Amino acid sequence: MTNEVNSTQAKFQRVREHCFNKWVKSPRYKEYIVELDDADVALGQRIAKERYEAHRELGKKNRTYGRPVMGREVLGCLGELAVIRWLQKEEYDVSMKQFFDTTSELNHQDKFDTDIVYNGENFSVEVKATEKPMKSNLIIPKDQAENNAADVYVLVCQIDDRRYCIKGFTTHDTVMANYNSKMKKGAYTVDEKNLIIDIKDILDTNKGE
């Protein structure tokens, strides 16, 4: 069984490598490639461990969905950090307060992943990370989508701990228009092909709201 799992994972990684090699040359994706350095990878893994421990203290179940222990936290933290680094590279004023805050009281789902300042206005940003390189979806849990509206949602694809590709952006209105009853417990899902390419298209539309 272990050999079969390893073989499947190796095949999946080859697909991701193939996609990444195409993305770095693609006019659509090449500006959205992010490569974290060793210090950032170590930082993301440390924050993931702290979040994992905080979630257990809250009594949250460890739903790994087939991933290693802390696998979801590591994917989420590194994905958030990749998006933050991209936003910094694009010269946005980005807050890292939420990223570093791993206390039980403040680490609930009603906290967004970061905030950015654009033309003097604050915008909340929610990041969702996926390991699926093709036909991926931005997935927002039902309770989170219905009770908390971020200004911007981001889908980022992980190739490995260091390399990422931002697949696109969307709004809360678009999320709410895409309820998927087939998801366990219900969720809102936006197909990557329906995501917005340029984050400024969202920021400029939402100015002053």
Side-chain angles (χ1 to χ4, degrees):
M1 185 64 178
T2 301
N3 289 338
E4 183 179 342
V5 171
N6 290 340
S7 176
T8 300
Q9 291 175 340
K11 181 178 180 181
F12 187 45
Q13 185 61 30
R14 287 196 295 272
V15 173
R16 288 191 288 187
E17 293 288 349
H18 173 75
C19 290
F20 185 80
N21 289 334
K22 292 176 61 178
W23 292 338
V24 295
K25 303 172 186 176
S26 163
R28 164 65 180 86
Y29 289 116
K30 65 181 182 180
E31 300 301 323
Y32 296 93
I33 299 296
V34 183
E35 297 197 36
L36 300 178
D37 59 24
D38 291 342
D40 274 344
V41 171
L43 172 62
Q45 291 172 341
R46 176 175 66 82
I47 296 297
K49 183 175 184 296
E50 292 177 9
R51 287 188 189 179
Y52 176 87
E53 292 172 350
H55 289 165
R56 303 294 78 76
E57 289 176 8
L58 281 172
K60 291 184 179 181
K61 293 181 179 179
N62 179 30
R63 296 185 175 90
T64 62
Y65 299 104
R67 295 186 178 91
V69 174
M70 293 197 300
R72 292 183 69 218
E73 281 84 358
V74 172
L75 173 64
C77 286
L78 290 175
E80 289 171 28
L81 190 53
V83 171
I84 288 171
R85 294 307 186 218
W86 180 83
L87 289 167
Q88 290 173 333
K89 178 177 70 71
E90 295 297 310
E91 299 185 342
Y92 288 96
D93 183 359
V94 187
S95 169
M96 292 191 71
K97 179 180 178 180
Q98 296 95 317
F99 179 79
F100 283 112
D101 196 340
T102 60
T103 60
S104 296
E105 292 78 11
L106 297 176
N107 198 24
H108 291 285
Q109 290 182 347
D110 60 352
K111 300 296 178 183
F112 299 117
D113 295 321
T114 188
D115 295 298
I116 60 174
V117 177
Y118 176 70
N119 287 345
E121 295 187 40
N122 289 304
F123 294 86
S124 57
V125 179
E126 179 71 13
V127 178
K128 295 300 179 184
T130 180
E131 296 172 302
K132 189 176 180 181
M134 298 183 296
K135 299 181 180 179
S136 57
N137 289 277
L138 184 145
I139 302 173
I140 307 294
K142 184 175 184 291
D143 288 347
Q144 183 181 10
E146 294 177 355
N147 294 314
N148 304 283
D151 295 310
V152 182
Y153 295 84
V154 189
L155 179 63
V156 59
C157 177
Q158 183 192 66
I159 303 303
D160 53 34
D161 283 353
R162 293 179 61 92
R163 297 174 296 164
Y164 299 80
C165 178
I166 295 174
K167 304 304 288 290
F169 310 88
T170 196
T171 65
H172 186 251
D173 286 345
T174 300
V175 168
M176 294 302 294
N178 287 274
Y179 182 69
N180 187 343
S181 60
K182 296 180 181 179
M183 297 290 293
K184 185 177 181 180
K185 295 186 177 180
Y188 292 83
T189 63
V190 182
D191 192 296
E192 67 169 278
K193 69 176 182 291
N194 296 324
L195 296 175
I196 295 168
I197 297 174
D198 191 342
I199 189 174
K200 289 182 180 178
D201 289 342
I202 296 176
L203 302 180
D204 287 333
T205 301
N206 289 345
K207 278 193 300 184
E209 292 187 359

